[in-house]
mmCIF file with all atom_site columns, all heavy atoms in Angstrom:
data_model
loop_
_atom_site.group_PDB
_atom_site.id
_atom_site.type_symbol
_atom_site.label_atom_id
_atom_site.label_alt_id
_atom_site.label_comp_id
_atom_site.label_asym_id
_atom_site.label_entity_id
_atom_site.label_seq_id
_atom_site.pdbx_PDB_ins_code
_atom_site.Cartn_x
_atom_site.Cartn_y
_atom_site.Cartn_z
_atom_site.occupancy
_atom_site.B_iso_or_equiv
_atom_site.pdbx_formal_charge
_atom_site.auth_seq_id
_atom_site.auth_comp_id
_atom_site.auth_asym_id
_atom_site.auth_atom_id
_atom_site.pdbx_PDB_model_num
ATOM 1   N N   . VAL A 1 207 ? -7.733 18.441 23.765 1.00 0.00 ? 207 VAL A N   1
ATOM 2   C CA  . VAL A 1 207 ? -7.479 19.869 23.969 1.00 0.00 ? 207 VAL A CA  1
ATOM 3   C C   . VAL A 1 207 ? -6.427 20.048 25.050 1.00 0.00 ? 207 VAL A C   1
ATOM 4   O O   . VAL A 1 207 ? -6.544 19.470 26.136 1.00 0.00 ? 207 VAL A O   1
ATOM 5   C CB  . VAL A 1 207 ? -8.765 20.608 24.395 1.00 0.00 ? 207 VAL A CB  1
ATOM 6   C CG1 . VAL A 1 207 ? -8.471 22.094 24.620 1.00 0.00 ? 207 VAL A CG1 1
ATOM 7   C CG2 . VAL A 1 207 ? -9.867 20.428 23.359 1.00 0.00 ? 207 VAL A CG2 1
ATOM 8   N N   . TYR A 1 208 ? -5.401 20.839 24.754 1.00 0.00 ? 208 TYR A N   1
ATOM 9   C CA  . TYR A 1 208 ? -4.407 21.210 25.759 1.00 0.00 ? 208 TYR A CA  1
ATOM 10  C C   . TYR A 1 208 ? -4.165 22.707 25.641 1.00 0.00 ? 208 TYR A C   1
ATOM 11  O O   . TYR A 1 208 ? -3.571 23.173 24.676 1.00 0.00 ? 208 TYR A O   1
ATOM 12  C CB  . TYR A 1 208 ? -3.088 20.452 25.558 1.00 0.00 ? 208 TYR A CB  1
ATOM 13  C CG  . TYR A 1 208 ? -3.111 19.046 26.106 1.00 0.00 ? 208 TYR A CG  1
ATOM 14  C CD1 . TYR A 1 208 ? -3.392 17.966 25.282 1.00 0.00 ? 208 TYR A CD1 1
ATOM 15  C CD2 . TYR A 1 208 ? -2.880 18.818 27.461 1.00 0.00 ? 208 TYR A CD2 1
ATOM 16  C CE1 . TYR A 1 208 ? -3.437 16.675 25.785 1.00 0.00 ? 208 TYR A CE1 1
ATOM 17  C CE2 . TYR A 1 208 ? -2.916 17.533 27.973 1.00 0.00 ? 208 TYR A CE2 1
ATOM 18  C CZ  . TYR A 1 208 ? -3.190 16.470 27.134 1.00 0.00 ? 208 TYR A CZ  1
ATOM 19  O OH  . TYR A 1 208 ? -3.239 15.193 27.642 1.00 0.00 ? 208 TYR A OH  1
ATOM 20  N N   . GLU A 1 209 ? -4.651 23.455 26.633 1.00 0.00 ? 209 GLU A N   1
ATOM 21  C CA  . GLU A 1 209 ? -4.467 24.903 26.621 1.00 0.00 ? 209 GLU A CA  1
ATOM 22  C C   . GLU A 1 209 ? -3.098 25.262 27.187 1.00 0.00 ? 209 GLU A C   1
ATOM 23  O O   . GLU A 1 209 ? -2.714 24.801 28.259 1.00 0.00 ? 209 GLU A O   1
ATOM 24  C CB  . GLU A 1 209 ? -5.568 25.576 27.450 1.00 0.00 ? 209 GLU A CB  1
ATOM 25  C CG  . GLU A 1 209 ? -6.958 25.423 26.845 1.00 0.00 ? 209 GLU A CG  1
ATOM 26  C CD  . GLU A 1 209 ? -8.010 26.203 27.597 1.00 0.00 ? 209 GLU A CD  1
ATOM 27  O OE1 . GLU A 1 209 ? -7.684 26.744 28.689 1.00 0.00 ? 209 GLU A OE1 1
ATOM 28  O OE2 . GLU A 1 209 ? -9.150 26.281 27.107 1.00 0.00 ? 209 GLU A OE2 1
ATOM 29  N N   . ASN A 1 210 ? -2.361 26.086 26.435 1.00 0.00 ? 210 ASN A N   1
ATOM 30  C CA  . ASN A 1 210 ? -1.043 26.540 26.870 1.00 0.00 ? 210 ASN A CA  1
ATOM 31  C C   . ASN A 1 210 ? -0.140 25.367 27.234 1.00 0.00 ? 210 ASN A C   1
ATOM 32  O O   . ASN A 1 210 ? 0.576  25.391 28.241 1.00 0.00 ? 210 ASN A O   1
ATOM 33  C CB  . ASN A 1 210 ? -1.181 27.482 28.080 1.00 0.00 ? 210 ASN A CB  1
ATOM 34  C CG  . ASN A 1 210 ? 0.102  28.261 28.357 1.00 0.00 ? 210 ASN A CG  1
ATOM 35  O OD1 . ASN A 1 210 ? 0.899  28.492 27.453 1.00 0.00 ? 210 ASN A OD1 1
ATOM 36  N ND2 . ASN A 1 210 ? 0.293  28.637 29.614 1.00 0.00 ? 210 ASN A ND2 1
ATOM 37  N N   . GLU A 1 211 ? -0.194 24.306 26.407 1.00 0.00 ? 211 GLU A N   1
ATOM 38  C CA  . GLU A 1 211 ? 0.616  23.102 26.608 1.00 0.00 ? 211 GLU A CA  1
ATOM 39  C C   . GLU A 1 211 ? 0.389  22.475 27.980 1.00 0.00 ? 211 GLU A C   1
ATOM 40  O O   . GLU A 1 211 ? 1.268  21.834 28.548 1.00 0.00 ? 211 GLU A O   1
ATOM 41  C CB  . GLU A 1 211 ? 2.110  23.404 26.401 1.00 0.00 ? 211 GLU A CB  1
ATOM 42  C CG  . GLU A 1 211 ? 2.445  23.818 24.977 1.00 0.00 ? 211 GLU A CG  1
ATOM 43  C CD  . GLU A 1 211 ? 3.933  23.975 24.760 1.00 0.00 ? 211 GLU A CD  1
ATOM 44  O OE1 . GLU A 1 211 ? 4.693  24.006 25.756 1.00 0.00 ? 211 GLU A OE1 1
ATOM 45  O OE2 . GLU A 1 211 ? 4.344  24.040 23.595 1.00 0.00 ? 211 GLU A OE2 1
ATOM 46  N N   . ASN A 1 212 ? -0.804 22.687 28.526 1.00 0.00 ? 212 ASN A N   1
ATOM 47  C CA  . ASN A 1 212 ? -1.186 22.088 29.809 1.00 0.00 ? 212 ASN A CA  1
ATOM 48  C C   . ASN A 1 212 ? -0.318 22.554 30.973 1.00 0.00 ? 212 ASN A C   1
ATOM 49  O O   . ASN A 1 212 ? -0.157 21.852 31.976 1.00 0.00 ? 212 ASN A O   1
ATOM 50  C CB  . ASN A 1 212 ? -1.130 20.553 29.721 1.00 0.00 ? 212 ASN A CB  1
ATOM 51  C CG  . ASN A 1 212 ? -2.080 19.893 30.681 1.00 0.00 ? 212 ASN A CG  1
ATOM 52  O OD1 . ASN A 1 212 ? -3.116 20.444 31.022 1.00 0.00 ? 212 ASN A OD1 1
ATOM 53  N ND2 . ASN A 1 212 ? -1.728 18.694 31.138 1.00 0.00 ? 212 ASN A ND2 1
ATOM 54  N N   . LYS A 1 213 ? 0.225  23.766 30.869 1.00 0.00 ? 213 LYS A N   1
ATOM 55  C CA  . LYS A 1 213 ? 1.107  24.272 31.919 1.00 0.00 ? 213 LYS A CA  1
ATOM 56  C C   . LYS A 1 213 ? 0.357  24.590 33.206 1.00 0.00 ? 213 LYS A C   1
ATOM 57  O O   . LYS A 1 213 ? 0.953  24.728 34.269 1.00 0.00 ? 213 LYS A O   1
ATOM 58  C CB  . LYS A 1 213 ? 1.853  25.513 31.418 1.00 0.00 ? 213 LYS A CB  1
ATOM 59  C CG  . LYS A 1 213 ? 2.880  25.200 30.329 1.00 0.00 ? 213 LYS A CG  1
ATOM 60  C CD  . LYS A 1 213 ? 3.583  26.442 29.835 1.00 0.00 ? 213 LYS A CD  1
ATOM 61  C CE  . LYS A 1 213 ? 4.600  26.100 28.737 1.00 0.00 ? 213 LYS A CE  1
ATOM 62  N NZ  . LYS A 1 213 ? 5.267  27.300 28.192 1.00 0.00 ? 213 LYS A NZ  1
ATOM 63  N N   . GLY A 1 214 ? -0.961 24.716 33.113 1.00 0.00 ? 214 GLY A N   1
ATOM 64  C CA  . GLY A 1 214 ? -1.736 25.005 34.306 1.00 0.00 ? 214 GLY A CA  1
ATOM 65  C C   . GLY A 1 214 ? -2.074 23.772 35.127 1.00 0.00 ? 214 GLY A C   1
ATOM 66  O O   . GLY A 1 214 ? -2.645 23.883 36.216 1.00 0.00 ? 214 GLY A O   1
ATOM 67  N N   . SER A 1 215 ? -1.690 22.601 34.635 1.00 0.00 ? 215 SER A N   1
ATOM 68  C CA  . SER A 1 215 ? -2.008 21.369 35.352 1.00 0.00 ? 215 SER A CA  1
ATOM 69  C C   . SER A 1 215 ? -1.156 21.233 36.609 1.00 0.00 ? 215 SER A C   1
ATOM 70  O O   . SER A 1 215 ? 0.014  21.616 36.646 1.00 0.00 ? 215 SER A O   1
ATOM 71  C CB  . SER A 1 215 ? -1.769 20.161 34.440 1.00 0.00 ? 215 SER A CB  1
ATOM 72  O OG  . SER A 1 215 ? -1.909 18.958 35.164 1.00 0.00 ? 215 SER A OG  1
ATOM 73  N N   . HIS A 1 216 ? -1.745 20.652 37.656 1.00 0.00 ? 216 HIS A N   1
ATOM 74  C CA  . HIS A 1 216 ? -1.024 20.380 38.902 1.00 0.00 ? 216 HIS A CA  1
ATOM 75  C C   . HIS A 1 216 ? -0.506 18.953 38.945 1.00 0.00 ? 216 HIS A C   1
ATOM 76  O O   . HIS A 1 216 ? -0.006 18.503 39.977 1.00 0.00 ? 216 HIS A O   1
ATOM 77  C CB  . HIS A 1 216 ? -1.935 20.652 40.105 1.00 0.00 ? 216 HIS A CB  1
ATOM 78  C CG  . HIS A 1 216 ? -2.375 22.090 40.203 1.00 0.00 ? 216 HIS A CG  1
ATOM 79  N ND1 . HIS A 1 216 ? -1.540 23.087 40.650 1.00 0.00 ? 216 HIS A ND1 1
ATOM 80  C CD2 . HIS A 1 216 ? -3.550 22.688 39.879 1.00 0.00 ? 216 HIS A CD2 1
ATOM 81  C CE1 . HIS A 1 216 ? -2.196 24.245 40.627 1.00 0.00 ? 216 HIS A CE1 1
ATOM 82  N NE2 . HIS A 1 216 ? -3.404 24.032 40.148 1.00 0.00 ? 216 HIS A NE2 1
ATOM 83  N N   . PHE A 1 217 ? -0.627 18.240 37.830 1.00 0.00 ? 217 PHE A N   1
ATOM 84  C CA  . PHE A 1 217 ? -0.160 16.852 37.743 1.00 0.00 ? 217 PHE A CA  1
ATOM 85  C C   . PHE A 1 217 ? 1.358  16.824 37.685 1.00 0.00 ? 217 PHE A C   1
ATOM 86  O O   . PHE A 1 217 ? 1.984  17.473 36.847 1.00 0.00 ? 217 PHE A O   1
ATOM 87  C CB  . PHE A 1 217 ? -0.749 16.187 36.504 1.00 0.00 ? 217 PHE A CB  1
ATOM 88  C CG  . PHE A 1 217 ? -0.426 14.727 36.362 1.00 0.00 ? 217 PHE A CG  1
ATOM 89  C CD1 . PHE A 1 217 ? -1.224 13.767 36.954 1.00 0.00 ? 217 PHE A CD1 1
ATOM 90  C CD2 . PHE A 1 217 ? 0.675  14.317 35.612 1.00 0.00 ? 217 PHE A CD2 1
ATOM 91  C CE1 . PHE A 1 217 ? -0.935 12.412 36.815 1.00 0.00 ? 217 PHE A CE1 1
ATOM 92  C CE2 . PHE A 1 217 ? 0.966  12.970 35.464 1.00 0.00 ? 217 PHE A CE2 1
ATOM 93  C CZ  . PHE A 1 217 ? 0.162  12.016 36.070 1.00 0.00 ? 217 PHE A CZ  1
ATOM 94  N N   . ASN A 1 218 ? 1.994  16.060 38.594 1.00 0.00 ? 218 ASN A N   1
ATOM 95  C CA  . ASN A 1 218 ? 3.443  15.898 38.603 1.00 0.00 ? 218 ASN A CA  1
ATOM 96  C C   . ASN A 1 218 ? 3.789  14.620 37.842 1.00 0.00 ? 218 ASN A C   1
ATOM 97  O O   . ASN A 1 218 ? 3.426  13.517 38.282 1.00 0.00 ? 218 ASN A O   1
ATOM 98  C CB  . ASN A 1 218 ? 3.959  15.804 40.048 1.00 0.00 ? 218 ASN A CB  1
ATOM 99  C CG  . ASN A 1 218 ? 5.474  15.727 40.108 1.00 0.00 ? 218 ASN A CG  1
ATOM 100 O OD1 . ASN A 1 218 ? 6.075  14.757 39.657 1.00 0.00 ? 218 ASN A OD1 1
ATOM 101 N ND2 . ASN A 1 218 ? 6.095  16.744 40.688 1.00 0.00 ? 218 ASN A ND2 1
ATOM 102 N N   . PRO A 1 219 ? 4.444  14.729 36.677 1.00 0.00 ? 219 PRO A N   1
ATOM 103 C CA  . PRO A 1 219 ? 4.658  13.554 35.814 1.00 0.00 ? 219 PRO A CA  1
ATOM 104 C C   . PRO A 1 219 ? 5.368  12.400 36.511 1.00 0.00 ? 219 PRO A C   1
ATOM 105 O O   . PRO A 1 219 ? 5.025  11.241 36.285 1.00 0.00 ? 219 PRO A O   1
ATOM 106 C CB  . PRO A 1 219 ? 5.510  14.114 34.667 1.00 0.00 ? 219 PRO A CB  1
ATOM 107 C CG  . PRO A 1 219 ? 5.233  15.575 34.661 1.00 0.00 ? 219 PRO A CG  1
ATOM 108 C CD  . PRO A 1 219 ? 5.004  15.961 36.086 1.00 0.00 ? 219 PRO A CD  1
ATOM 109 N N   . LEU A 1 220 ? 6.347  12.678 37.348 1.00 0.00 ? 220 LEU A N   1
ATOM 110 C CA  . LEU A 1 220 ? 7.092  11.610 37.995 1.00 0.00 ? 220 LEU A CA  1
ATOM 111 C C   . LEU A 1 220 ? 6.359  11.066 39.215 1.00 0.00 ? 220 LEU A C   1
ATOM 112 O O   . LEU A 1 220 ? 6.072  9.868  39.314 1.00 0.00 ? 220 LEU A O   1
ATOM 113 C CB  . LEU A 1 220 ? 8.490  12.116 38.395 1.00 0.00 ? 220 LEU A CB  1
ATOM 114 C CG  . LEU A 1 220 ? 9.415  12.490 37.235 1.00 0.00 ? 220 LEU A CG  1
ATOM 115 C CD1 . LEU A 1 220 ? 10.741 13.017 37.769 1.00 0.00 ? 220 LEU A CD1 1
ATOM 116 C CD2 . LEU A 1 220 ? 9.671  11.278 36.343 1.00 0.00 ? 220 LEU A CD2 1
ATOM 117 N N   . ARG A 1 221 ? 6.033  11.955 40.148 1.00 0.00 ? 221 ARG A N   1
ATOM 118 C CA  . ARG A 1 221 ? 5.414  11.519 41.399 1.00 0.00 ? 221 ARG A CA  1
ATOM 119 C C   . ARG A 1 221 ? 4.042  10.885 41.171 1.00 0.00 ? 221 ARG A C   1
ATOM 120 O O   . ARG A 1 221 ? 3.755  9.785  41.652 1.00 0.00 ? 221 ARG A O   1
ATOM 121 C CB  . ARG A 1 221 ? 5.286  12.695 42.358 1.00 0.00 ? 221 ARG A CB  1
ATOM 122 C CG  . ARG A 1 221 ? 4.667  12.349 43.717 1.00 0.00 ? 221 ARG A CG  1
ATOM 123 C CD  . ARG A 1 221 ? 4.327  13.610 44.482 1.00 0.00 ? 221 ARG A CD  1
ATOM 124 N NE  . ARG A 1 221 ? 3.318  14.394 43.778 1.00 0.00 ? 221 ARG A NE  1
ATOM 125 C CZ  . ARG A 1 221 ? 3.331  15.721 43.704 1.00 0.00 ? 221 ARG A CZ  1
ATOM 126 N NH1 . ARG A 1 221 ? 4.321  16.410 44.260 1.00 0.00 ? 221 ARG A NH1 1
ATOM 127 N NH2 . ARG A 1 221 ? 2.365  16.363 43.070 1.00 0.00 ? 221 ARG A NH2 1
ATOM 128 N N   . ASP A 1 222 ? 3.195  11.580 40.408 1.00 0.00 ? 222 ASP A N   1
ATOM 129 C CA  . ASP A 1 222 ? 1.825  11.092 40.231 1.00 0.00 ? 222 ASP A CA  1
ATOM 130 C C   . ASP A 1 222 ? 1.760  9.882  39.308 1.00 0.00 ? 222 ASP A C   1
ATOM 131 O O   . ASP A 1 222 ? 0.928  8.990  39.510 1.00 0.00 ? 222 ASP A O   1
ATOM 132 C CB  . ASP A 1 222 ? 0.930  12.223 39.717 1.00 0.00 ? 222 ASP A CB  1
ATOM 133 C CG  . ASP A 1 222 ? 0.754  13.315 40.762 1.00 0.00 ? 222 ASP A CG  1
ATOM 134 O OD1 . ASP A 1 222 ? 0.544  12.978 41.941 1.00 0.00 ? 222 ASP A OD1 1
ATOM 135 O OD2 . ASP A 1 222 ? 0.834  14.503 40.406 1.00 0.00 ? 222 ASP A OD2 1
ATOM 136 N N   . SER A 1 223 ? 2.630  9.822  38.298 1.00 0.00 ? 223 SER A N   1
ATOM 137 C CA  . SER A 1 223 ? 2.669  8.640  37.435 1.00 0.00 ? 223 SER A CA  1
ATOM 138 C C   . SER A 1 223 ? 3.111  7.412  38.230 1.00 0.00 ? 223 SER A C   1
ATOM 139 O O   . SER A 1 223 ? 2.591  6.303  38.030 1.00 0.00 ? 223 SER A O   1
ATOM 140 C CB  . SER A 1 223 ? 3.609  8.866  36.253 1.00 0.00 ? 223 SER A CB  1
ATOM 141 O OG  . SER A 1 223 ? 3.088  9.834  35.370 1.00 0.00 ? 223 SER A OG  1
ATOM 142 N N   . ALA A 1 224 ? 4.062  7.606  39.160 1.00 0.00 ? 224 ALA A N   1
ATOM 143 C CA  . ALA A 1 224 ? 4.515  6.497  40.001 1.00 0.00 ? 224 ALA A CA  1
ATOM 144 C C   . ALA A 1 224 ? 3.377  5.995  40.880 1.00 0.00 ? 224 ALA A C   1
ATOM 145 O O   . ALA A 1 224 ? 3.204  4.782  41.079 1.00 0.00 ? 224 ALA A O   1
ATOM 146 C CB  . ALA A 1 224 ? 5.698  6.940  40.856 1.00 0.00 ? 224 ALA A CB  1
ATOM 147 N N   . ARG A 1 225 ? 2.582  6.917  41.412 1.00 0.00 ? 225 ARG A N   1
ATOM 148 C CA  . ARG A 1 225 ? 1.445  6.517  42.233 1.00 0.00 ? 225 ARG A CA  1
ATOM 149 C C   . ARG A 1 225 ? 0.424  5.715  41.415 1.00 0.00 ? 225 ARG A C   1
ATOM 150 O O   . ARG A 1 225 ? -0.125 4.718  41.881 1.00 0.00 ? 225 ARG A O   1
ATOM 151 C CB  . ARG A 1 225 ? 0.761  7.758  42.812 1.00 0.00 ? 225 ARG A CB  1
ATOM 152 C CG  . ARG A 1 225 ? 1.523  8.421  43.955 1.00 0.00 ? 225 ARG A CG  1
ATOM 153 C CD  . ARG A 1 225 ? 0.841  9.708  44.366 1.00 0.00 ? 225 ARG A CD  1
ATOM 154 N NE  . ARG A 1 225 ? 1.462  10.281 45.554 1.00 0.00 ? 225 ARG A NE  1
ATOM 155 C CZ  . ARG A 1 225 ? 1.226  11.515 46.002 1.00 0.00 ? 225 ARG A CZ  1
ATOM 156 N NH1 . ARG A 1 225 ? 0.372  12.288 45.350 1.00 0.00 ? 225 ARG A NH1 1
ATOM 157 N NH2 . ARG A 1 225 ? 1.820  11.967 47.094 1.00 0.00 ? 225 ARG A NH2 1
ATOM 158 N N   . ILE A 1 226 ? 0.179  6.168  40.186 1.00 0.00 ? 226 ILE A N   1
ATOM 159 C CA  . ILE A 1 226 ? -0.783 5.486  39.320 1.00 0.00 ? 226 ILE A CA  1
ATOM 160 C C   . ILE A 1 226 ? -0.308 4.072  38.987 1.00 0.00 ? 226 ILE A C   1
ATOM 161 O O   . ILE A 1 226 ? -1.078 3.107  39.048 1.00 0.00 ? 226 ILE A O   1
ATOM 162 C CB  . ILE A 1 226 ? -1.015 6.307  38.041 1.00 0.00 ? 226 ILE A CB  1
ATOM 163 C CG1 . ILE A 1 226 ? -1.790 7.598  38.379 1.00 0.00 ? 226 ILE A CG1 1
ATOM 164 C CG2 . ILE A 1 226 ? -1.762 5.495  36.991 1.00 0.00 ? 226 ILE A CG2 1
ATOM 165 C CD1 . ILE A 1 226 ? -1.849 8.592  37.256 1.00 0.00 ? 226 ILE A CD1 1
ATOM 166 N N   . MET A 1 227 ? 0.968  3.947  38.648 1.00 0.00 ? 227 MET A N   1
ATOM 167 C CA  . MET A 1 227 ? 1.519  2.625  38.348 1.00 0.00 ? 227 MET A CA  1
ATOM 168 C C   . MET A 1 227 ? 1.437  1.719  39.572 1.00 0.00 ? 227 MET A C   1
ATOM 169 O O   . MET A 1 227 ? 1.136  0.526  39.472 1.00 0.00 ? 227 MET A O   1
ATOM 170 C CB  . MET A 1 227 ? 2.972  2.749  37.888 1.00 0.00 ? 227 MET A CB  1
ATOM 171 C CG  . MET A 1 227 ? 3.155  3.482  36.577 1.00 0.00 ? 227 MET A CG  1
ATOM 172 S SD  . MET A 1 227 ? 2.425  2.598  35.179 1.00 0.00 ? 227 MET A SD  1
ATOM 173 C CE  . MET A 1 227 ? 2.947  3.668  33.828 1.00 0.00 ? 227 MET A CE  1
ATOM 174 N N   . GLY A 1 228 ? 1.698  2.286  40.747 1.00 0.00 ? 228 GLY A N   1
ATOM 175 C CA  . GLY A 1 228 ? 1.617  1.511  41.978 1.00 0.00 ? 228 GLY A CA  1
ATOM 176 C C   . GLY A 1 228 ? 0.221  0.970  42.208 1.00 0.00 ? 228 GLY A C   1
ATOM 177 O O   . GLY A 1 228 ? 0.044  -0.172 42.644 1.00 0.00 ? 228 GLY A O   1
#
Side-chain angles (χ1 to χ4, degrees):
V207 179
Y208 280 96
E209 294 186 352
N210 195 26
E211 296 186 347
N212 207 29
K213 291 179 180 178
S215 173
H216 298 284
F217 184 87
N218 184 294
L220 295 178
R221 181 191 63 219
D222 293 317
S223 292
R225 285 174 174 168
I226 290 169
M227 295 295 184

